[in-house]
């Protein structure tokens, strides 16, 4: 999130789309109700189904699953046409005025630079038009037909109310209601909060859906304000932490980016991947400090700080690709700590086939789940499977200390409450450290190049496992290796924790596991993530600066410089966050700094109006450039760095009941359709209904933790499929009756949940039925059921390869 | 001593059922065997081992507006509780000074008179233990400075615990605030039983009948007990004889409830 949970209470409009907030974040949802109760906020829920979130919303709008960009594009069009955008904000804090390259065009559903052969775009034509000094040209009046604002306006002019209504199935009245209500937050004294989740992400155009949301918030001037922002509701207690620490293959902790094979040395990697302006110019400090944290004394200037020991990203090694590779016998073994791909992975048949090709499999979890027992799944023949499976029991959250990072970037520490039941039950951290040390012992004395990174790893977390978590956090925070000196004074002594990433260096004198988390443990014995002091009522805007630690440097609302005008004055009293105080004293005696109710997301002593700095950590950022991480200093309405286009365009899901009505290209021309026998796509003649998959409050992800818990199993004991009254009549299905749901990939048995909360829709003139299923079930546990991912195809968004598990085609029929 | 109570404000309920799980966890209750019922509710009624139940109702208004109602319903801990009056065994069913009602599993003889007396059909019988069980108001918590388990777990403050007087005041304010959004919003239980009231009170979005709650909880059958039969027990007539007399007296009510489909013939 750019904002955070508590901040929701400041919103005037809460727009929940691609999310079932109340059911999946019941505790966080309390802040939504605060906004409604105490701030008079309007709550809108746009969802294919009427859910428990809808039951407390002022308005629920049924939308066809998969049609989000049409809806949001329509909102952009409406906002621009009806002058609802924040003119000052758009002109000054976004890239609206920049001129796009003369070579940029969008025609017949394709952006310039498309290469059929590679199914990819070259993005040279998506850059800005520059002058001789390579500086981007701009038109501050926003009139030039080639400026970003006009390009946007032109692009979304096709997204008329009529067109959008036909594509999404939403009535024009409801569209106007939604657009007008959200559009009402385009004034500086009102803010709207976008909350989204898997409904936006799990799609072949997932990233672009989120982009559209971000662009709307830039147009409305909502980014950087309390109760505003673009806010992902993460689907697991620590998935934000997992993302920050780069559990995904393509990244390094702190979003530093995995090197590619042509980044042949550290200097090349840093040169090619470090921005030339904006705060990311400091990346080398973060990268080298990270290498020092990992490899300690073995990382020296002479060996590029161990850069060669990092794996180089040759291509797509995402989850789906890994299973395709596994299925082709390319992966010999796997370790799954806290993961259950046999239920949670898209295209279960592929998951099962792939697992059975492994030589060995280690599963570490609380219960022996479907992946650990994949070889005994219904339909599997153990005599044909050669995989040796090891099951390692895992300690639960109360049996270990550690931090959890929530959707609002708050890193919150929890303390160990009880010991695990016996010595075999081990935390994932203890396992990882133990494994690392055993490998080091195994490779002891080896001179082979490939063994060097393992031998060089620092695993110095002491001898007491109960102290491991804290010691790891301390390494993540960072420490000085040699004295850090500034202006002749020792800022940080050798061996001491660093106060934040501002003191990190690229010369090997500092170590830091993740620059974003720096400040979490700034001094010996000071664990900021364990703080629990609440803001006093009436004091502040809910930032709760003394509760835990948020990244970066405890900032709660990102981009908060936008809350002030070009003179540093709050644009609105009700939405003020930081402002310039010319008289405020700095530690060095000088005067003038940004003050307010949150940590400024800005250079603290940079006066408003200052021209862009020529060098230093804020190179290229001026006193009125709130988006300090962007080279432009402004929020991007046009983004050259995405794989599928600088601005979002609506494409139909790969399995769709209709033809794309907005442009002649049916599906995303760059999304990945994985080549594997299990990945069969279906058409509407055999599979006429649109299926969306979702989660329930009572179950958690693949059900390992919830379907094994009696009190949750009894609440939601069986797999069901929600179908409308109309469809039930057509199919002759009674409520509770057994039925089969099938796609081109496979079929599952479910009970019919006949409900008026789902409705048939009219899409491009044709009646289309939507159905929905929770995806939690598997063959093990107390509450069992068929695995809904059997129905899902192996398709990936081109930027991040997330699967399209919403808005695909199925058939439903009586009987099993 | 001040009465303590709970307020269940359905305008804040999101149907998450944390209250149900918290109740089971605190009271170490086992799961019930359930199957998909056609709705999210899945458990049709409270049982000997499910004391709190969130009841779901989907209604499509004439306007086309969809409404999904949820009510977390359990023992109302009525003042001058009918079940306590009906119970023939001294100490088996007791009302504390602060107003909550508990069943002593060791003293209960399973006569089921409390079940007949309860206008909300709350106490549930178990064949094996031959006793009844229901929400206890978490004495092990409330007598130790804590709130009830369900109110603690509720993420939206739909269920709150506190002094009954404070909750009554809050409920009335809530109704005034919500009137525009929910025209039928009303409190429930404050003045039940001719003014004595229940210690668990509700803010409902619709009339009580909509939720299957009696408009006016009544204690007709129990008057016989309190005023006639119970004094007889003091005469040492013995539980069996008293029971027989009571059964005859209660028969009328039993027939009525059978007719309404509320109880099955034993």
């Amino acid at each position: 999130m750019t904002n955070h949970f508590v901040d929701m209470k400041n919103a005037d409009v809460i727009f929940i789309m691609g999310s079932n907030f109340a059911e999946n974040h019941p505790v966080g949802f309390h802040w939504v109700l605060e906004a409604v109760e105490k701030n008079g906020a309007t709550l809108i829920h746009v969802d294919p189904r009427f859910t428990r979130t809808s039951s407390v919303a002022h308005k629920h709008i049924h939308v066809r699953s998969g049609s989000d960009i049409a809806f949001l594009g329509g909102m952009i069009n409406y906002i621009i046409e009806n002058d609802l955008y924040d003119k000052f904000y758009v002109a000054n804090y976004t890239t609206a005025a920049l001129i796009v390259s003369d070579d940029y065009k969008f025609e017949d559903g394709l952006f310039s630079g498309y290469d059929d052969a590679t199914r990819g775009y070259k993005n040279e034509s998506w850059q800005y038009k520059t002058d001789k000094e390579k500086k981007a040209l701009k038109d501050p009046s926003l009139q030039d037909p080639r400026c970003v604002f006009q390009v946007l306006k032109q692009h979304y002019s096709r997204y008329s109310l009529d067109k959008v209504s036909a594509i999404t199935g939403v009535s024009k009245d409801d569209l106007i209601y939604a657009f007008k209500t959200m559009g009402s937050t385009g004034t500086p004294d009102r803010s709207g909060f976008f909350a989204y989740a898997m409904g936006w992400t799990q799609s072949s155009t997932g990233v672009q859906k989120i982009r559209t949301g971000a662009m709307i918030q830039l147009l409305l001037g909502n980014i950087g304000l309390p109760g505003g922002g673009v806010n992902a509701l993460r689907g697991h207690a620590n998935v934000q932490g997992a993302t920050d620490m780069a559990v995904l293959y393509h990244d390094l902790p702190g979003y530093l980016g995995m090197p590619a094979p042509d980044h042949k040395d550290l200097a090349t990697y840093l040169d090619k991947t470090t921005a030339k302006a904006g705060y990311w110019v400091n990346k080398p400090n973060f990268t080298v400090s990270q290498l020092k944290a990992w490899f300690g004394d073995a990382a020296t200037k002479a060996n590029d700080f161990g850069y060669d020991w990092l794996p180089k990203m040759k291509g797509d090694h995402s989850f789906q690709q890994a299973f395709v590779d596994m299925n082709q016998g390319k992966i010999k073994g796997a370790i799954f700590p806290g993961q259950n791909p046999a239920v949670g992975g898209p295209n279960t048949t592929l998951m099962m086939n792939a697992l059975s090709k492994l030589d060995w499999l280690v599963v570490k979890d609380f219960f022996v789940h479907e992946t650990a027992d994949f070889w005994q799944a219904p339909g599997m023949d153990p005599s044909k499977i050669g995989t040796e499976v090891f099951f390692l029991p895992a300690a639960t959250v109360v049996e270990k200390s550690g931090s959890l990072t929530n959707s609002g970037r708050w890193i919150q520490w929890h303390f160990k409450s009880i010991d695990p039941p016996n010595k075999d039950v081990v935390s994932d951290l203890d396992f990882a450290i133990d494994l690392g040390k055993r490998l080091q012992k195994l490779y002891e004395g080896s001179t082979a190049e490939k063994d060097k990174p393992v031998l060089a790893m620092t695993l110095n977390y002491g001898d007491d496992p109960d102290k491991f978590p804290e010691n790891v956090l301390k390494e993540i925070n960072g420490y000085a290796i040699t004295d850090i000196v500034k202006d002749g004074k020792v800022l940080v002594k050798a061996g001491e924790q660093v106060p934040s990433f501002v003191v990190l260096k690229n010369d090997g004198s500092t170590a830091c596991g993740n620059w974003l988390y720096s400040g979490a443990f700034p001094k010996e014995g000071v664990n900021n993530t364990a703080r629990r002091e609440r803001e006093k009522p009436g004091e502040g805007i809910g930032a709760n600066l003394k509760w835990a630690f948020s990244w970066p440097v405890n900032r709660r609302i990102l981009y908060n410089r936008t809350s002030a005008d070009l003179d540093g004055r709050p644009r609105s009293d009700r939405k003020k966050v930081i402002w310039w105080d010319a008289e405020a004293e700095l530690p060095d005696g000088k005067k003038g700094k940004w003050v307010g109710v949150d940590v400024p997301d800005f250079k603290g002593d940079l006066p408003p109006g200052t021209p862009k700095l020529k060098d230093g950590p804020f190179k290229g950022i001026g006193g009125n450039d709130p988006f300090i991480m962007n080279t432009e200093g402004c929020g991007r309405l046009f983004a050259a760095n995405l794989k599928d286009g600088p601005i979002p365009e609506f494409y139909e899901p790969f399995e769709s009941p209709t033809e794309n009505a907005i442009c002649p290209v049916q599906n995303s021309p760059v999304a990945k359709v994985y080549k594997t026998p299990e990945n069969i796509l279906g058409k509407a003649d055999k599979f006429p209904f649109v299926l969306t998959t979702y989660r329930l409050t009572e179950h958690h992800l693949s059900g390992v933790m919830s379907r094994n818990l009696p009190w949750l199993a009894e609440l939601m004991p069986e797999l069901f499929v929600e179908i409308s009254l109309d469809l039930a009549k057509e199919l002759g299905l009674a409520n509770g009756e057994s039925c089969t749901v099938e796609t081109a990939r496979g079929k599952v048995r479910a009970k019919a949940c006949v409900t008026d909360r789902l409705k048939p829709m009219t899409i491009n003139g044709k009646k289309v039925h939507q159905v929905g299923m929770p995806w939690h079930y598997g063959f093990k546990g107390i509450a069992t059921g068929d695995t809904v991912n059997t129905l899902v195809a192996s398709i990936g968004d081109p930027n991040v390869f997330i699967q399209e598990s919403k808005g695909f085609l199925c058939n439903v029929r009586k009987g099993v | 001593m001040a009465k303590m109570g709970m307020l269940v404000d359905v305008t804040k309920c999101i149907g998450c059922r944390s209250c149900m799980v918290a109740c089971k966890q605190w009271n170490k209750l086992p799961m019930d065997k359930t199957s998909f019922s056609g709705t999210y509710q899945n458990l049709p009624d409270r049982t000997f081992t499910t004391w709190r139940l969130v009841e779901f109702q989907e209604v499509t208004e004439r306007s086309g507006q969809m409404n999904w109602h949820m009510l977390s319903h359990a023992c109302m801990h009525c003042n001058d509780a009918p079940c306590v009056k009906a119970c023939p065994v001294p100490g088996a069913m007791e009302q504390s000074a602060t107003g909550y009602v508990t069943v002593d599993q060791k003293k209960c003889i399973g006569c089921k008179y409390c079940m007949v007396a309860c206008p909300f059909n709350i106490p549930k019988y178990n064949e094996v233990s031959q006793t009844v069980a229901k929400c206890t108001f978490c004495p092990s918590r409330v007598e130790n400075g804590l709130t009830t388990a369900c109110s603690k777990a509720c993420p939206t403050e739909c269920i709150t615990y506190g002094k009954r007087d404070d909750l009554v005041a809050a409920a009335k304010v809530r109704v005034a605030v919500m009137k525009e959004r929910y025209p039928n919003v009303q409190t429930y239980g404050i003045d039940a039983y001719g003014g004595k009231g229940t210690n668990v009170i509700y803010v409902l979005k619709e009339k009580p009948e909509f939720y299957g709650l009696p408009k006016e909880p009544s204690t007709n059958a129990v008057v016989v007990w309190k005023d006639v039969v119970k004094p007889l027990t003091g005469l040492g007539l013995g539980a069996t004889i008293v029971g027989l007399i009571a059964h005859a007296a209660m028969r009328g009510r039993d027939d009525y409830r059978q007719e309404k489909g509320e109880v099955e013939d034993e």
Side-chain angles (χ1 to χ4, degrees):
Chain A
M1 292 184 178
T2 55
N3 296 54
H4 57 93
F5 280 109
V6 177
D7 181 60
M8 281 176 215
K9 65 177 183 161
N10 298 312
D12 298 296
V13 175
I14 296 189
F15 203 100
I16 301 172
M17 184 174 177
S19 153
N20 185 7
F21 199 148
E23 293 201 38
N24 295 305
H25 287 267
V27 176
F29 194 75
H30 147 247
W31 298 107
V32 173
L33 293 180
E34 280 258 330
V36 171
E37 305 298 299
K38 309 229 173 95
N39 210 34
T42 304
L43 177 59
I44 300 177
H45 185 216
V46 179
D47 196 294
R49 309 154 50 228
F50 185 104
T51 70
R52 285 175 274 192
T53 301
S54 326
S55 73
V56 291
H58 290 101
K59 179 98 175 155
H60 169 258
I61 296 175
H62 285 279
V63 70
R64 184 201 13 144
S65 179
S67 66
D68 309 74
I69 292 180
F71 185 99
L72 297 168
M75 190 184 285
I76 292 181
N77 188 37
Y78 188 91
I79 286 170
I80 294 179
E81 270 192 2
N82 291 279
D83 262 356
L84 296 174
Y85 58 98
D86 184 327
K87 294 195 172 65
F88 167 86
Y89 189 111
V90 170
N92 293 288
Y93 296 152
T94 75
T95 57
L98 298 178
I99 311 289
V100 308
S101 158
D102 287 336
D103 297 324
Y104 166 77
K105 69 172 194 274
F106 176 81
E107 209 169 52
D108 295 333
L110 290 177
F111 295 94
S112 43
Y114 187 65
D115 179 11
D116 243 321
T118 58
R119 266 180 67 80
Y121 281 109
K122 288 193 170 21
N123 68 352
E124 279 82 12
S125 64
W126 302 352
Q127 308 303 324
Y128 302 116
K129 187 170 182 179
T130 54
D131 60 19
K132 283 183 295 259
E133 277 97 55
K134 294 252 186 104
K135 214 175 128 208
L137 296 171
K138 59 197 289 198
D139 171 23
S141 76
L142 307 188
Q143 294 305 309
D144 189 316
R146 296 296 289 179
C147 76
V148 165
F149 183 76
Q150 292 296 336
V151 167
L152 217 69
K153 182 171 174 179
Q154 159 76 351
H155 190 95
Y156 293 106
S157 62
R158 294 169 295 133
Y159 290 68
S160 64
L161 289 173
D162 281 322
K163 196 45 70 78
V164 171
S165 177
I167 295 173
T168 62
V170 179
S171 73
K172 274 165 73 169
D173 281 345
D174 281 353
L175 287 175
I176 292 171
Y177 174 87
F179 298 167
K180 204 166 173 183
T181 310
M182 194 57 186
S184 77
T185 66
T187 58
D189 62 336
R190 283 173 64 78
S191 60
F193 192 100
F194 256 149
Y196 74 91
M198 304 301 107
W200 275 6
T201 66
Q202 288 177 345
S203 155
S204 52
T205 56
V207 169
Q208 294 288 6
K209 288 185 191 189
I210 301 161
R211 266 296 293 155
T212 336
M215 286 156 64
I216 289 170
Q217 291 294 60
L218 284 172
L219 289 171
L220 295 174
N222 283 331
I223 305 218
L225 296 193
V230 183
N231 304 292
L233 301 172
R234 309 299 313 255
H236 172 284
N238 198 29
V239 62
Q240 183 66 51
T243 324
D244 297 340
M245 295 306 295
V247 163
L248 296 176
Y249 79 103
H250 70 296
D251 220 336
L252 288 175
Y255 304 103
L256 299 182
M258 194 66 90
D262 61 338
H263 299 147
K264 54 185 173 53
D265 54 28
L266 182 63
T268 311
Y269 165 69
L270 289 176
D271 179 56
K272 289 265 186 290
T273 64
T274 301
K276 305 289 185 262
Y279 201 77
W280 270 118
V281 300
N282 300 293
K283 176 172 165 167
N285 301 338
F286 312 147
T287 298
V288 175
S289 299
Q290 187 170 92
L291 292 170
K292 285 299 286 184
W294 290 0
F295 302 123
D297 293 337
T300 65
K301 198 151 185 1
N303 68 4
D304 254 2
F305 299 106
Y307 171 80
D308 284 346
W309 298 331
L310 295 176
K312 306 300 183 287
M313 186 174 67
K314 286 197 218 172
D316 175 9
H317 296 295
S318 65
F319 182 96
Q320 296 198 73
Q321 183 63 48
F323 274 80
V324 170
D325 290 342
M326 200 188 290
N327 198 29
Q328 291 170 6
K330 293 181 187 163
I331 296 179
K332 301 297 171 197
I335 304 179
F336 294 133
Q339 188 165 52
N340 187 13
V343 173
N347 203 334
T348 312
T349 311
L350 170 62
M351 296 294 119
M352 292 300 204
N353 288 346
L355 291 169
S356 57
K357 306 281 184 4
L358 290 171
D359 288 348
W360 57 268
L361 171 64
V362 177
V363 174
K364 191 166 184 304
D365 221 305
F366 310 136
F367 296 94
V368 177
H369 54 55
E370 289 79 3
T371 300
D373 264 4
F374 80 90
W375 47 278
Q376 296 190 83
M380 300 295 267
D381 180 0
S383 71
K384 301 225 168 67
I385 299 168
T387 316
E388 189 174 3
V389 183
F390 301 88
F391 185 84
L392 304 178
T396 68
V397 67
V398 295
E399 293 164 343
K400 55 187 181 176
S401 298
S403 68
L404 297 169
T405 307
N406 74 5
S407 306
R409 292 167 286 103
W410 289 21
I411 308 157
Q412 300 184 99
W413 194 259
H414 62 88
F415 291 96
K416 178 177 176 177
S417 308
I418 52 173
D419 284 321
N422 62 64
K423 65 167 182 55
D424 289 331
V425 182
V426 157
S427 75
D428 291 342
L429 179 60
D430 288 2
F431 169 74
I433 292 172
D434 189 13
L435 180 64
K437 289 195 166 144
R438 284 170 189 252
L439 287 173
Q440 288 183 327
K441 195 146 169 67
L442 198 64
Y443 298 170
E444 204 169 9
S446 166
T447 51
E449 275 306 311
K450 65 179 173 63
D451 295 342
K452 288 198 177 152
V454 174
L455 290 169
M457 280 197 294
T458 59
L459 292 169
N460 313 325
Y461 304 112
D463 299 310
D464 180 5
D466 277 346
K467 292 259 178 343
F468 285 168
E470 233 182 44
N471 290 338
V472 170
L473 183 63
K474 285 170 76 176
E475 180 183 276
I476 289 172
N477 176 90
Y479 54 91
I481 294 172
T482 55
D483 284 356
I484 301 176
V485 179
K486 187 173 175 193
D487 303 327
K489 273 178 45 196
V490 174
L491 271 182
V492 186
K493 285 218 282 278
E496 279 184 357
Q497 297 293 101
V498 296
S500 86
F501 51 74
V502 304
V503 304
L504 297 178
K505 302 256 191 309
N506 66 352
D507 60 6
S509 63
T510 56
C512 173
N514 184 340
W515 72 281
L516 283 178
Y517 280 43
S518 197
F521 210 120
K523 271 210 283 269
E524 187 59 46
V526 177
N527 181 352
N528 281 337
T529 67
R531 298 183 302 183
R532 291 294 186 271
E533 196 185 310
R534 254 186 249 251
E535 222 168 65
K536 295 189 184 49
E539 175 193 84
I541 55 170
N544 287 285
L545 295 173
K546 294 207 180 105
W547 180 291
F549 179 83
S550 72
W551 67 257
V553 290
N554 208 29
R555 226 161 251 153
R556 305 288 159 138
I557 298 176
L558 297 181
Y559 314 113
N560 53 36
R561 165 71 183 87
T562 66
S563 63
D565 64 18
L566 301 180
D567 296 315
R569 281 191 302 254
R571 292 188 65 210
S572 149
D573 194 63
R574 23 188 336 252
K575 299 295 172 184
K576 66 185 185 205
V577 186
I578 65 167
W579 50 91
W580 178 254
D581 182 351
E583 294 307 307
E585 274 210 25
L586 294 165
D588 62 0
K590 293 208 190 81
K591 281 202 184 153
K593 72 174 184 185
W594 291 91
V595 299
V597 291
D598 192 354
V599 174
D601 191 359
F602 208 60
K603 186 175 195 297
D605 60 359
L606 185 67
T610 313
K612 289 184 194 282
L613 298 175
K614 294 279 191 301
D615 48 41
F618 284 89
K619 178 176 174 182
I621 297 297
N624 296 334
D625 290 328
F627 290 81
I628 63 172
M629 303 308 288
N630 285 349
T631 51
E632 304 95 324
C634 289
R636 289 180 184 149
L637 288 170
F638 192 89
N641 57 325
L642 291 180
K643 295 281 190 299
D644 41 0
I647 42 183
E649 173 70 352
F650 173 70
Y651 298 105
E652 286 284 340
F654 273 77
E655 289 186 340
S656 161
T658 187
E659 271 184 30
N660 191 350
I662 207 88
C663 75
V665 176
Q666 177 71 2
N667 306 120
S668 164
V670 292
K672 192 151 180 180
V673 180
Y674 288 91
K675 287 189 170 43
T676 183
E678 299 85 353
N679 195 23
I680 309 160
L681 297 187
K683 291 203 170 16
D685 54 351
K686 271 186 80 183
F687 306 104
F689 313 131
V690 175
L691 174 60
T692 184
T693 61
Y694 54 85
R695 305 182 206 185
L696 303 164
T697 312
E698 296 80 0
H699 284 305
H700 186 56
L701 299 177
S702 68
V704 179
M705 286 168 70
S706 60
R707 288 185 293 103
N708 279 299
L709 198 75
W711 305 317
L712 295 174
E714 74 178 333
L715 293 176
M716 289 291 194
E718 294 184 84
L719 176 62
F720 56 90
V721 52
E722 291 183 309
I723 64 178
S724 69
L725 304 182
D726 203 34
L727 181 58
K729 215 177 211 151
E730 268 184 41
L731 299 175
L733 270 174
N735 197 15
E737 197 181 329
S738 290
C739 60
T740 303
V741 182
E742 58 191 341
T743 66
R745 271 82 50 201
K747 59 182 194 238
V748 298
R749 298 157 299 179
K751 296 277 172 75
C753 177
V754 181
T755 171
D756 208 16
R757 293 179 293 101
L758 265 72
K759 306 259 200 226
M761 310 196 81
T762 305
I763 308 297
N764 292 327
K766 204 176 71 175
K767 183 183 195 180
V768 172
H769 288 290
Q770 289 202 101
V771 301
M773 302 183 86
W775 61 269
H776 304 290
Y777 294 87
F779 67 95
K780 294 196 70 71
I782 300 170
T784 60
D786 286 352
T787 297
V788 166
N789 264 310
T790 306
L791 308 174
V792 177
S794 303
I795 291 169
D797 169 286
N799 299 289
V800 297
F801 307 117
I802 191 168
Q803 76 272 18
E804 188 157 74
S805 35
K806 318 284 195 227
F808 54 97
L809 294 180
C810 76
N811 186 34
V812 181
R813 55 178 172 80
K814 266 168 98 81
V816 293
Chain B
M1 206 169 182
K3 293 270 188 282
M4 301 302 285
M6 286 199 284
L7 168 58
V8 179
D9 177 0
V10 306
T11 67
K12 293 183 176 166
C13 183
I14 53 174
C16 71
R17 305 195 276 182
S18 303
C19 53
M20 288 178 68
V21 176
C23 175
K24 289 240 175 179
Q25 182 184 33
W26 187 260
N27 295 293
K28 295 191 165 71
L29 297 168
M31 68 180 279
D32 287 357
K33 186 89 185 73
T34 57
S35 57
F36 181 70
S37 66
T39 73
Y40 280 25
Q41 188 171 319
N42 293 318
L43 290 92
D45 195 2
R46 279 146 295 273
T47 67
F48 186 75
T49 47
T50 297
W51 299 345
R52 178 161 289 276
L53 179 66
V54 177
E55 297 164 8
F56 291 78
Q57 282 191 89
E58 293 173 35
V59 176
T60 308
E61 309 293 339
R62 254 182 297 223
S63 62
Q65 166 72 30
M66 178 81 219
N67 283 319
W68 203 359
H69 297 270
M70 293 128 201
L71 171 66
S72 176
H73 182 47
C75 175
M76 304 293 283
H77 297 278
C78 310
N79 280 318
D80 208 11
C83 55
V84 174
K85 287 207 279 224
C87 179
V89 180
M93 204 112 189
E94 280 198 325
Q95 186 143 37
S96 76
T98 56
Y100 62 83
V101 177
T102 50
V103 183
D104 188 333
Q105 293 293 313
K106 293 196 219 68
K107 294 189 177 143
C108 174
I109 57 169
C111 69
K112 303 189 192 173
Y113 295 138
C114 58
M115 290 173 69
V116 172
C118 176
F120 304 102
N121 207 7
I122 290 294
K124 297 295 179 200
Y125 179 75
N126 176 263
E127 300 286 343
V128 174
S129 64
Q130 294 184 328
T131 59
V132 297
K134 65 171 195 69
C135 162
T136 61
F137 208 77
C138 293
S140 55
R141 292 183 62 92
V142 303
E143 297 299 341
N144 285 293
L146 301 174
T147 67
T148 52
C150 52
S151 65
K152 171 76 176 169
C154 179
T156 57
E157 290 171 342
C158 158
I159 305 180
T160 47
Y161 166 88
K163 290 209 181 78
R164 188 184 186 274
D165 285 345
D166 293 342
L167 297 175
V168 167
K172 291 180 175 164
V173 167
R174 186 67 180 164
V175 165
V177 165
M178 286 284 117
K179 203 76 188 182
E180 205 194 315
R181 192 162 172 200
Y182 303 115
N184 293 338
V185 68
Q186 55 194 268
T187 61
Y188 182 79
I190 294 176
D191 296 313
Y193 303 107
K196 285 183 256 189
T198 57
N199 287 302
V200 176
I201 58 175
Y202 293 159
V203 167
L204 302 174
K205 280 191 214 172
E206 296 292 342
K207 298 194 198 21
E209 304 91 284
F210 174 83
Y211 300 93
L213 298 168
K215 184 161 163 207
E216 263 309 320
S218 67
T219 64
N220 299 335
V222 186
V223 172
V224 179
W225 259 134
K226 187 192 159 210
D227 301 323
V228 176
V229 182
K230 260 209 156 144
L232 292 179
T233 64
L235 295 174
L237 281 180
T240 316
I241 299 164
V242 168
L244 287 169
I245 298 170
H247 193 80
M250 300 292 247
R251 192 73 194 153
R253 183 176 166 83
D254 235 342
D255 282 335
Y256 169 76
R257 295 190 77 197
Q258 216 166 295
E259 210 184 310
K260 293 223 95 184
E262 284 172 75
V263 289
E264 292 231 65
D265 204 4
E266 245 67 78

